[in-house]
Amino acid sequence: MTDKTTAYWTHLADNLQAETRLFIDGQFCNAINGATFETINPANGNIIAEVASGDEADINKAVASAKAAFKSGVWSTMAPRDRMDIMERFASLVDQHNDAFALLDSLDMGKTISETSTIDIPFAAHTIKYFAETIDKIEGKVTNTEHSALHYVRRQALGVVGCITPWNYPTMMACWKTAPALAAGNSVVLKPAEQSPLSALLLAKLFVEAGGPPGVFNVVNGPGEIAGKALALHHDVAKIAFTGSNEVGKLMMIYAGQSNMKQVAAETGGKSPHIFMPDLACMDTAVEYAVNAIYANQGEVCSAGSRLLVHQDIHDEFVEKFVSRAKQSYCIGNPLDPATTMGPLVDKKQQQRVQAYISAGLALGCNMPLGNAVPESLSAGNYVQPTLFTGVTNDMTIAREEIFGPVACIIPFATASEAVELANDTDYGLAAGIWSADLNTANIMARDIDAGIVWVNCYDHGDMTQPWGGFKQSGHGRDKCFDSVLQNMQSKSVWLNLA
Ligand code: NAD
């Protein structure tokens, strides 16, 4: 938890002077047509700022700047050690501006200040540092060929990488996408989500302050279906690194096909199973993880453990402990109060969407042992109370669709193989959790579950070495990890005739 007070954060918010223009070629600028959009504080409905709204012309300008910077070699051919130094300074500057980033993300999307200041921003800075450290570890190879030839494979940057990010972890997602692309020597154009446009502008400014050349890191805010689409269709963009919903992820692949066959890495949604076997070692610990896995960040987490598969022998005890733990741990309130553990949902649309799923669960006859009306005092914000459904079957809408809010479903099962079958009976495949004292059973289940990330006797643990991405319709890229630098490069085979 942050050691600063509500008064401290409120004072910063009241005196906010956030940059709102686009960032192109190392400078802030208005949108070419002068358009703006409002960014709204989801905790109270107030307008935070009017933000420059880019369209195709601004994307063209940003891509031209990124392309010129790439071609000039000012970043792409910089000695690895020098590029590392700049990226390391960039990481330090993000760390030093922790409060500014934490505040912008809390105000824009309703995240609690405790989470943004102690988790999101330190982790964002750490992401840049990790990728800085990869720069002089990138290697090509010499292959074992016939005597009369020398064959080597070199790795080269792609060119301009377009990064399109969601609102649920604004600074962190921007860093997951841009830092590996920059480390590989590319130039980037970042299009943040409309709901959280502010922190990306500070990020790009600090890159230049750290010594990053102008044109290498550009930010264009604007509507997804206009600015995002123009970026994804652009012929001078070599790759789109996308995180967001799978509907839009699929559009990215269509846009690539309609334009220049650019590479697409899509990190999309999830409906992750969290499995509790009857022999789990400690029920209290497992329940604590179950509660955090669905309610942290208001449930607006791609890897949220939203389908709780609980063995029938421990079902009733689990439900009772879950409800009691959730009531102790998650309380909705002002995101700028360091004691608040759950903020509002990102916007009215998302609140209504989540409320519609809750109504659907009730209409299906499920029990709702947790979930109340929001108090009148918070009615101006987009709040939804932590909610739990029991008596759920895996074919129900609430068990199949990504709700992206604080709503958990408990589905009972009788055997390990039934649990795996239920776990895999979904279009998604991002993450899964297994709790069992029998590591043999847990390993067999981990092998058989179709998910890119499996946690055993924990949930949401990990570090930068862990590839982050999904199976099936949860996408196909891998964020974090050394591989994601390599995914921002292409190999070139050079065959020399020595005869
Ligand atoms: P979204 O798909 O609505 O938007 C994501 C981004 O795409 C935004 O920047 C948006 O402006 C842009 N966009 C929208 N329409 C576009 C179009 N036609 N062309 C180009 N760009 C367009 O997603 P969201 O609501 O911002 O984020 C929530 C989703 O993100 C959830 O599904 C969540 O699971 C997913 N997510 C996945 C991961 C992961 O690592 N797999 C991480 C975080 C969030």
Side-chain angles (χ1 to χ4, degrees), residues 164-168 173 191-194 224-225 228-229 242-245 248 251-252 255 267-270 302 402 404 430 468:
I164 300 183
T165 50
W167 43 261
N168 64 335
M173 286 299 116
K191 209 302 283 173
E194 297 88 310
E225 57 284 6
K229 183 176 176 181
F242 170 82
T243 295
S245 60
V248 180
L251 287 180
M252 296 298 145
Y255 297 151
E267 302 292 345
T268 54
C302 53
E402 185 184 41
F404 222 55
L430 184 55
W468 186 274

Side-chain angles (χ1 to χ4, degrees), residues 318-334:
F318 185 95
V319 172
E320 193 186 314
K321 290 197 170 203
F322 184 98
V323 170
S324 143
R325 182 79 210 184
K327 283 183 178 162
Q328 277 167 34
S329 303
Y330 286 92
C331 190
I332 58 174
N334 173 11

